[in-house]
Amino acid sequence: MAWFKRVEKGIVTPTDQKKETPDGLWHKCQECKTVVTMAEHKRLLYVCGNCNYHDRIDAADYFEFLFDQGQFTELDANLTSGDPLHFVDTKEYPKRVAATERNTGLKDAVRSAHGLSAGQPLVVAAMDFKFIGGSMGSVVGEKIARAIDFARQNRTPFLMISRSGGARMMEAGYSLMQMAKTSAKLALLSEAGVPYVSLLTDPTTGGVTASFAMLGDFNIAEPGALIGFAGPRVIKETIGKDLPKGFQSAEFVLEHGFLDFIVDRRELKQRLADLLGMLQPAPVAVPEQREARRTAPKPH
């Protein structure tokens, strides 16, 4: 019976002899609780192979799989926030920014870069939610504006990957001004005839939704992404009514006409290549070719 019942008490295994699984080897899906290795989860671009739940990922992860061989040139990498309002809440704003930089290794909530994607030139700006909730401050607006200028000057398609809680309260009016600035830059991009694709990921809310995130020539989203201006709880308390099932999900927003399509992250690179390939302008005929077509005999 000693096989099934401990006879001796006080048995302690020395710490150096304990066999424990190292952290970071396994991943459990937040939605369906399926467990897979981290290597497999990364291979699937952080999408659950069982239920298709899309984990939040960082700008670096998007750059790695969108750009060919993960090769890109980053734009304006060293821009950092100032403190024009001398803002203080539970801590001074510069100290909050410095602490977030140390914890994340990021300079602000967006990174921008250019390179080849599926063999085609592409400019990408991607937001990082882990930097103060992906909030839009003056640096975010400036880096996006500069990325748009680069795309316009080089006639290169522009992809914006949004993930944000909205405007950054520590910069107040300076933050809200970025809505107008980025929107104006996108108007210039449109006038130049350069394609703009806006990818909305979980979550995209507030002033980001109310400006550049919804101004794409094509507005697309990842499955299940929360997309809206105010949060569901705020809306429910304001109108005093229950909200429809799935309210503000990407699928709900698509059904009501605010998105063009929803794309699985694993298919994003190829879908972008196909879409941008169709948008390439037709070659302009030289005068000799136009004259030859004009004088050619018409078929009977």
Side-chain angles (χ1 to χ4, degrees):
M1 294 299 294
W3 290 352
F4 307 103
K5 184 177 180 180
R6 175 172 287 182
V7 176
E8 298 183 37
K9 296 182 179 180
I11 298 176
V12 178
T13 303
T15 302
D16 60 354
Q17 296 183 20
K18 288 185 177 180
K19 305 299 183 183
E20 295 183 352
T21 303
D23 293 335
L25 289 182
W26 301 93
H27 171 81
K28 179 186 284 188
C29 175
Q30 296 183 39
E31 188 70 20
C32 70
K33 311 306 179 187
T34 297
V35 177
V36 297
T37 64
M38 276 303 301
E40 175 67 5
H41 192 48
K42 182 177 181 179
R43 186 185 71 81
L44 295 176
L45 302 184
Y46 305 96
V47 176
C48 178
N50 182 55
C51 70
N52 202 41
Y53 178 80
H54 282 53
D55 273 345
R56 294 177 182 175
I57 61 175
D58 299 329
D61 298 312
Y62 281 109
F63 290 169
E64 184 177 351
F65 75 81
L66 280 175
F67 290 116
D68 297 343
Q69 291 82 49
Q71 300 296 312
F72 60 87
T73 302
E74 188 160 0
L75 300 169
D76 307 301
N78 294 316
L79 285 184
T80 55
S81 294
D83 184 25
L85 303 178
H86 307 290
F87 190 93
V88 180
D89 48 14
T90 55
K91 64 172 65 174
E92 297 175 6
Y93 181 42
K95 292 182 178 179
R96 183 180 298 280
V97 170
T100 307
E101 287 181 358
R102 287 194 301 272
N103 294 335
T104 64
L106 300 169
K107 292 294 186 181
D108 215 287
V110 70
R111 293 179 65 189
S112 55
H114 68 93
L116 294 179
S117 180
Q120 302 180 70
L122 183 67
V123 179
V124 182
M127 303 189 75
D128 277 295
F129 194 79
K130 64 184 180 182
F131 196 101
I132 315 183
S135 53
M136 179 181 62
S138 53
V139 168
V140 169
E142 181 65 18
K143 290 186 73 170
I144 293 173
R146 292 188 186 188
I148 296 169
D149 282 341
F150 183 91
R152 180 168 57 89
Q153 292 161 6
N154 292 276
R155 302 200 60 78
T156 302
F158 177 58
L159 170 66
M160 181 71 226
I161 303 174
S162 298
R163 173 175 286 128
S164 175
R168 187 173 298 175
M169 68 174 187
M170 301 84 159
E171 297 188 24
Y174 289 91
S175 175
L176 296 178
M177 288 165 61
Q178 309 314 309
M179 297 171 63
K181 180 165 69 176
T182 54
S183 298
K185 292 292 186 180
L186 287 171
L188 295 175
L189 191 71
S190 178
E191 289 179 5
V194 178
Y196 166 43
V197 179
S198 176
L199 173 64
L200 293 83
T201 66
D202 183 59
T204 301
T205 61
V208 169
T209 308
S211 55
F212 56 83
M214 279 294 187
L215 292 177
D217 298 313
F218 291 89
N219 294 325
I220 63 178
E222 291 185 341
L226 172 67
I227 300 169
F229 182 66
R233 178 181 57 82
V234 174
I235 296 174
K236 182 178 178 179
E237 291 177 355
T238 301
I239 66 177
K241 296 181 180 180
D242 290 332
L243 301 173
K245 185 178 180 180
F247 180 71
Q248 290 188 332
S249 67
E251 291 74 14
F252 184 93
V253 176
L254 174 67
E255 183 181 346
H256 289 77
F258 287 93
L259 291 176
D260 292 292
F261 58 86
I262 294 173
V263 58
D264 188 298
R265 186 181 295 154
R266 293 165 291 186
E267 302 173 359
L268 175 61
K269 184 174 181 177
Q270 188 57 52
R271 291 289 296 274
L272 279 173
D274 294 342
L275 180 62
L276 296 175
M278 291 188 295
L279 296 177
Q280 294 299 320
V284 179
V286 298
E288 292 80 3
Q289 292 174 325
R290 290 199 295 268
E291 180 64 22
R293 285 202 300 265
R294 188 179 67 81
T295 58
K298 296 181 180 179
H300 298 288

